Amino acid sequence: MSTTISRITAVVAAAGLGIVTLSACGSSDSASAGGGGAASKTVTLVSHDSFVYSKAVLKAFEKESGYKVKVLKDGDAGQAVNKAILTKDNPQGDVFFGVDNTLLSRALDNGLFQSYEAKGAGTIKSEYRVDQDKHRVTPIDSGDICVNYDKAWFSEHKLTPPASLDDLIKPAYRNLLVTENASTSSPGLGFLLGSAARYGDDGWQDYWKKLRANGVKVVDGWEQAYNDEFSGSAGGKKAKADRPLVVSYASSPPAEVIYGDPKPKTAPTGVAAGTCFRQVEYAGLLSNAGNAKGGKALIDFLITRKFQEDMPLNMFVYPVVEGAQVPAEFTKYGPAAKDPETMAPARIAANRDQWVKSWTSLVLK
């Protein structure tokens, strides 16, 4: 895999986080992990493997606060959340970042976080705020799971790219789409939830029956779908992939531009704006955190403009605070969806497991 493809894989997949089944994991001592006692000057942030940051920005926080930050990456988001739940009585750190709206109820129902209202929380856009009565989590970033298309392929075949979920079941797009497994991949799950939000409890299964009849291909995860199956990505071109439609992110096109080698003058991929589902990531102060004071300071920092404006080019996500700026490439090639499908965490909690079970029986068998 070339450096370009590896870099695009790392940054575009920042929100592409697999979902795993809760399984037994050993706990580790919070002090040895950097949690320390109440007076500790080390604060430990537990997150998923895709958490990326600029060292200069984190050092600025350390200088201003007097705390030393230790980052503990603990697998993909599902794995990290599950392990944090299993070790909540003796946590590995003080703050957890990276639980998203598809998994939030699991974390809250299992008592993973303690209450803390971050300083500056009033700057967070109202549409991202949840759990306002208890303040157990703080929104940090958002991203849109959307179908991406290969511009060159559609131009060559003189076919208009799909613009909506409805379009994807039309005969013109037969055998063109690849998506991820909803039981093993966050974008795959997001795409399923988007269809449920669009067509309702009774209609989403009928939609997937039509999508399956129209030749949708399902693979385990984002990297395989985007780099091996999608003809529009740097990896897909190298692999001579033959699917010009893929479930990915609204931020994938600017990633192709920024990390292209050579850098293209325009994005080789586009976004079907009517296929998007909004994903939001949160941070919370872990129950029984060894350094709660330091953890609170770190959460405060995560919603400052300094950190919020650093995120886009590191994790290819969008800020959630008012006034935070995004890079010009985002505005030009990958703006956030104007009207994405959304779903309340409570509704996800009530239906997620059954929907995934039904989806698996319907699509994979």
Side-chain angles (χ1 to χ4, degrees):
M1 182 179 291
S2 69
T3 301
T4 299
I5 298 170
S6 298
R7 181 59 174 160
I8 291 173
T9 296
V11 297
V12 182
L17 312 169
I19 308 302
V20 296
T21 303
L22 190 65
S23 58
C25 300
S27 63
S28 64
D29 183 77
S30 61
S32 65
S40 174
K41 299 308 292 183
T42 296
V43 57
T44 300
L45 174 70
V46 183
S47 188
H48 49 66
D49 286 345
S50 297
F51 177 67
V52 184
Y53 55 91
S54 294
K55 291 182 179 180
V57 170
L58 202 60
K59 285 188 178 298
F61 164 74
E62 292 178 331
K63 183 177 180 180
E64 294 167 5
S65 68
Y67 291 105
K68 177 71 175 178
V69 178
K70 179 176 181 179
V71 177
L72 176 62
K73 298 184 180 183
D74 213 1
D76 63 38
Q79 179 181 348
V81 169
N82 291 337
K83 187 171 182 180
I85 290 170
L86 288 168
T87 59
K88 68 180 181 180
D89 294 332
N90 186 24
Q92 295 178 293
D94 308 299
V95 173
F96 186 93
F97 164 75
V99 59
D100 68 21
N101 50 319
T102 70
L103 291 172
L104 181 59
S105 63
R106 182 181 296 172
L108 297 183
D109 291 347
N110 281 278
L112 184 58
F113 302 115
Q114 58 182 288
S115 178
Y116 175 63
E117 185 174 8
K119 294 178 182 179
T123 65
I124 297 172
K125 297 175 183 178
S126 59
E127 62 263 34
Y128 299 124
R129 300 180 192 179
V130 297
D131 195 46
Q132 288 296 283
D133 56 336
K134 297 182 179 179
H135 300 290
R136 289 170 291 180
V137 289
T138 301
I140 304 298
D141 66 71
S142 71
D144 294 321
I145 296 169
C146 311
V147 170
N148 285 202
Y149 60 86
D150 179 354
K151 290 181 178 179
W153 190 96
F154 281 94
S155 176
E156 180 182 342
H157 289 78
K158 295 180 173 56
L159 180 62
T160 301
S164 67
L165 291 175
D166 287 345
D167 285 346
L168 296 174
I169 59 176
K170 294 178 179 179
Y173 305 106
R174 183 175 178 81
N175 297 328
L176 301 187
L177 175 66
V178 58
T179 188
E180 301 84 1
N181 189 325
S183 68
T184 59
S185 166
S186 185
L189 176 58
F191 190 50
L192 166 59
L193 294 177
S195 67
R198 172 67 178 81
Y199 299 106
D201 294 353
D202 298 326
W204 74 263
Q205 293 191 49
D206 184 58
Y207 175 76
W208 275 93
K209 289 177 183 177
K210 294 176 180 177
L211 204 58
R212 182 182 182 186
N214 212 37
V216 65
K217 184 173 185 178
V218 178
V219 297
D220 285 341
W222 178 89
E223 185 172 346
Q224 181 183 359
Y226 194 82
N227 280 330
D228 296 342
E229 302 288 345
F230 178 47
S231 62
S233 70
K237 289 181 176 64
K238 187 179 178 68
K240 296 182 179 180
D242 61 0
R243 295 260 166 169
L245 297 173
V246 65
V247 173
S248 191
Y249 293 88
S251 56
S252 299
E256 290 284 350
V257 172
I258 293 167
Y259 295 105
D261 185 17
K263 186 175 181 177
K265 293 182 179 180
T266 187
T269 59
V271 171
T275 66
C276 300
F277 177 79
R278 178 65 46 87
Q279 188 177 41
V280 183
E281 285 190 301
Y282 307 89
L285 183 65
L286 287 165
S287 297
N288 303 306
N291 185 1
K293 185 176 180 180
K296 292 175 181 179
L298 182 57
I299 292 174
D300 294 345
F301 170 69
L302 295 178
I303 57 172
T304 61
R305 283 188 60 170
K306 181 176 291 185
F307 184 82
Q308 289 281 303
E309 293 180 350
D310 183 63
M311 291 190 307
L313 290 181
N314 281 305
M315 295 192 286
F316 277 71
V317 290
Y318 301 90
V320 296
V321 302
E322 298 284 358
Q325 301 298 306
V326 297
E329 291 92 343
F330 270 51
T331 303
K332 186 174 182 180
Y333 303 118
K338 292 182 178 180
D339 190 24
E341 299 292 347
T342 60
M343 187 175 291
R347 186 180 174 202
I348 295 175
N351 296 285
R352 178 186 56 230
D353 293 345
Q354 183 56 50
W355 281 348
V356 170
K357 183 178 179 180
S358 297
W359 178 91
T360 300
S361 298
L362 185 68
V363 179
L364 300 184
K365 293 183 180 179

PDB file of all heavy atoms in Angstrom, residues 60-72:
ATOM      1  N   ALA A  60       0.318  22.848  24.096  1.00  0.00           N
ATOM      2  CA  ALA A  60      -0.190  24.148  24.543  1.00  0.00           C
ATOM      3  C   ALA A  60      -1.109  23.968  25.749  1.00  0.00           C
ATOM      4  O   ALA A  60      -1.054  24.753  26.708  1.00  0.00           O
ATOM      5  CB  ALA A  60      -0.926  24.845  23.400  1.00  0.00           C
ATOM      6  N   PHE A  61      -1.956  22.931  25.703  1.00  0.00           N
ATOM      7  CA  PHE A  61      -2.813  22.636  26.845  1.00  0.00           C
ATOM      8  C   PHE A  61      -1.974  22.271  28.064  1.00  0.00           C
ATOM      9  O   PHE A  61      -2.238  22.731  29.182  1.00  0.00           O
ATOM     10  CB  PHE A  61      -3.774  21.498  26.520  1.00  0.00           C
ATOM     11  CG  PHE A  61      -4.421  20.890  27.735  1.00  0.00           C
ATOM     12  CD1 PHE A  61      -5.427  21.568  28.410  1.00  0.00           C
ATOM     13  CD2 PHE A  61      -4.022  19.643  28.215  1.00  0.00           C
ATOM     14  CE1 PHE A  61      -6.020  21.024  29.549  1.00  0.00           C
ATOM     15  CE2 PHE A  61      -4.613  19.097  29.348  1.00  0.00           C
ATOM     16  CZ  PHE A  61      -5.608  19.787  30.020  1.00  0.00           C
ATOM     17  N   GLU A  62      -0.960  21.440  27.872  1.00  0.00           N
ATOM     18  CA  GLU A  62      -0.113  21.028  28.988  1.00  0.00           C
ATOM     19  C   GLU A  62       0.586  22.221  29.640  1.00  0.00           C
ATOM     20  O   GLU A  62       0.678  22.318  30.869  1.00  0.00           O
ATOM     21  CB  GLU A  62       0.915  20.005  28.501  1.00  0.00           C
ATOM     22  CG  GLU A  62       0.294  18.664  28.096  1.00  0.00           C
ATOM     23  CD  GLU A  62       1.302  17.667  27.572  1.00  0.00           C
ATOM     24  OE1 GLU A  62       2.334  18.103  27.010  1.00  0.00           O
ATOM     25  OE2 GLU A  62       1.080  16.460  27.717  1.00  0.00           O
ATOM     26  N   LYS A  63       1.037  23.147  28.803  1.00  0.00           N
ATOM     27  CA  LYS A  63       1.719  24.334  29.319  1.00  0.00           C
ATOM     28  C   LYS A  63       0.759  25.231  30.089  1.00  0.00           C
ATOM     29  O   LYS A  63       1.087  25.754  31.162  1.00  0.00           O
ATOM     30  CB  LYS A  63       2.352  25.110  28.165  1.00  0.00           C
ATOM     31  CG  LYS A  63       3.158  26.322  28.609  1.00  0.00           C
ATOM     32  CD  LYS A  63       3.824  26.998  27.420  1.00  0.00           C
ATOM     33  CE  LYS A  63       4.635  28.212  27.878  1.00  0.00           C
ATOM     34  NZ  LYS A  63       5.304  28.885  26.722  1.00  0.00           N
ATOM     35  N   GLU A  64      -0.451  25.404  29.552  1.00  0.00           N
ATOM     36  CA  GLU A  64      -1.435  26.296  30.171  1.00  0.00           C
ATOM     37  C   GLU A  64      -2.028  25.699  31.452  1.00  0.00           C
ATOM     38  O   GLU A  64      -2.301  26.416  32.411  1.00  0.00           O
ATOM     39  CB  GLU A  64      -2.554  26.605  29.185  1.00  0.00           C
ATOM     40  CG  GLU A  64      -2.100  27.414  27.976  1.00  0.00           C
ATOM     41  CD  GLU A  64      -3.142  27.441  26.863  1.00  0.00           C
ATOM     42  OE1 GLU A  64      -4.254  26.903  27.083  1.00  0.00           O
ATOM     43  OE2 GLU A  64      -2.841  27.980  25.790  1.00  0.00           O
ATOM     44  N   SER A  65      -2.234  24.381  31.443  1.00  0.00           N
ATOM     45  CA  SER A  65      -2.930  23.739  32.565  1.00  0.00           C
ATOM     46  C   SER A  65      -1.995  23.190  33.632  1.00  0.00           C
ATOM     47  O   SER A  65      -2.397  23.028  34.793  1.00  0.00           O
ATOM     48  CB  SER A  65      -3.804  22.599  32.052  1.00  0.00           C
ATOM     49  OG  SER A  65      -2.994  21.540  31.546  1.00  0.00           O
ATOM     50  N   GLY A  66      -0.768  22.853  33.245  1.00  0.00           N
ATOM     51  CA  GLY A  66       0.156  22.221  34.172  1.00  0.00           C
ATOM     52  C   GLY A  66       0.018  20.713  34.221  1.00  0.00           C
ATOM     53  O   GLY A  66       0.755  20.035  34.942  1.00  0.00           O
ATOM     54  N   TYR A  67      -0.909  20.153  33.424  1.00  0.00           N
ATOM     55  CA  TYR A  67      -1.094  18.702  33.377  1.00  0.00           C
ATOM     56  C   TYR A  67      -0.312  18.088  32.216  1.00  0.00           C
ATOM     57  O   TYR A  67      -0.187  18.681  31.155  1.00  0.00           O
ATOM     58  CB  TYR A  67      -2.575  18.337  33.205  1.00  0.00           C
ATOM     59  CG  TYR A  67      -3.423  18.639  34.402  1.00  0.00           C
ATOM     60  CD1 TYR A  67      -4.286  19.731  34.402  1.00  0.00           C
ATOM     61  CD2 TYR A  67      -3.372  17.837  35.543  1.00  0.00           C
ATOM     62  CE1 TYR A  67      -5.080  20.022  35.503  1.00  0.00           C
ATOM     63  CE2 TYR A  67      -4.161  18.125  36.650  1.00  0.00           C
ATOM     64  CZ  TYR A  67      -5.009  19.226  36.628  1.00  0.00           C
ATOM     65  OH  TYR A  67      -5.776  19.505  37.721  1.00  0.00           O
ATOM     66  N   LYS A  68       0.170  16.899  32.430  1.00  0.00           N
ATOM     67  CA  LYS A  68       0.782  16.101  31.374  1.00  0.00           C
ATOM     68  C   LYS A  68      -0.273  15.129  30.867  1.00  0.00           C
ATOM     69  O   LYS A  68      -0.907  14.413  31.646  1.00  0.00           O
ATOM     70  CB  LYS A  68       1.988  15.321  31.911  1.00  0.00           C
ATOM     71  CG  LYS A  68       2.643  14.397  30.899  1.00  0.00           C
ATOM     72  CD  LYS A  68       3.383  15.169  29.839  1.00  0.00           C
ATOM     73  CE  LYS A  68       4.139  14.208  28.906  1.00  0.00           C
ATOM     74  NZ  LYS A  68       4.838  14.935  27.834  1.00  0.00           N
ATOM     75  N   VAL A  69      -0.493  15.119  29.549  1.00  0.00           N
ATOM     76  CA  VAL A  69      -1.535  14.254  28.980  1.00  0.00           C
ATOM     77  C   VAL A  69      -0.937  12.952  28.479  1.00  0.00           C
ATOM     78  O   VAL A  69       0.048  12.951  27.723  1.00  0.00           O
ATOM     79  CB  VAL A  69      -2.273  14.960  27.827  1.00  0.00           C
ATOM     80  CG1 VAL A  69      -3.324  14.030  27.211  1.00  0.00           C
ATOM     81  CG2 VAL A  69      -2.940  16.244  28.317  1.00  0.00           C
ATOM     82  N   LYS A  70      -1.549  11.869  28.887  1.00  0.00           N
ATOM     83  CA  LYS A  70      -1.199  10.550  28.361  1.00  0.00           C
ATOM     84  C   LYS A  70      -2.377  10.049  27.549  1.00  0.00           C
ATOM     85  O   LYS A  70      -3.521  10.056  28.032  1.00  0.00           O
ATOM     86  CB  LYS A  70      -0.897   9.571  29.493  1.00  0.00           C
ATOM     87  CG  LYS A  70      -0.537   8.163  28.992  1.00  0.00           C
ATOM     88  CD  LYS A  70      -0.145   7.265  30.138  1.00  0.00           C
ATOM     89  CE  LYS A  70       0.238   5.872  29.637  1.00  0.00           C
ATOM     90  NZ  LYS A  70       0.654   4.976  30.738  1.00  0.00           N
ATOM     91  N   VAL A  71      -2.137   9.648  26.300  1.00  0.00           N
ATOM     92  CA  VAL A  71      -3.192   9.139  25.425  1.00  0.00           C
ATOM     93  C   VAL A  71      -3.078   7.623  25.332  1.00  0.00           C
ATOM     94  O   VAL A  71      -2.026   7.096  24.960  1.00  0.00           O
ATOM     95  CB  VAL A  71      -3.119   9.767  24.020  1.00  0.00           C
ATOM     96  CG1 VAL A  71      -4.189   9.166  23.109  1.00  0.00           C
ATOM     97  CG2 VAL A  71      -3.285  11.282  24.101  1.00  0.00           C
ATOM     98  N   LEU A  72      -4.133   6.935  25.679  1.00  0.00           N
ATOM     99  CA  LEU A  72      -4.183   5.474  25.615  1.00  0.00           C
ATOM    100  C   LEU A  72      -5.174   5.069  24.545  1.00  0.00           C
ATOM    101  O   LEU A  72      -6.382   5.243  24.707  1.00  0.00           O
ATOM    102  CB  LEU A  72      -4.597   4.894  26.974  1.00  0.00           C
ATOM    103  CG  LEU A  72      -4.784   3.370  27.040  1.00  0.00           C
ATOM    104  CD1 LEU A  72      -3.479   2.655  26.740  1.00  0.00           C
ATOM    105  CD2 LEU A  72      -5.307   2.968  28.420  1.00  0.00           C
TER     106      LEU A  72
END
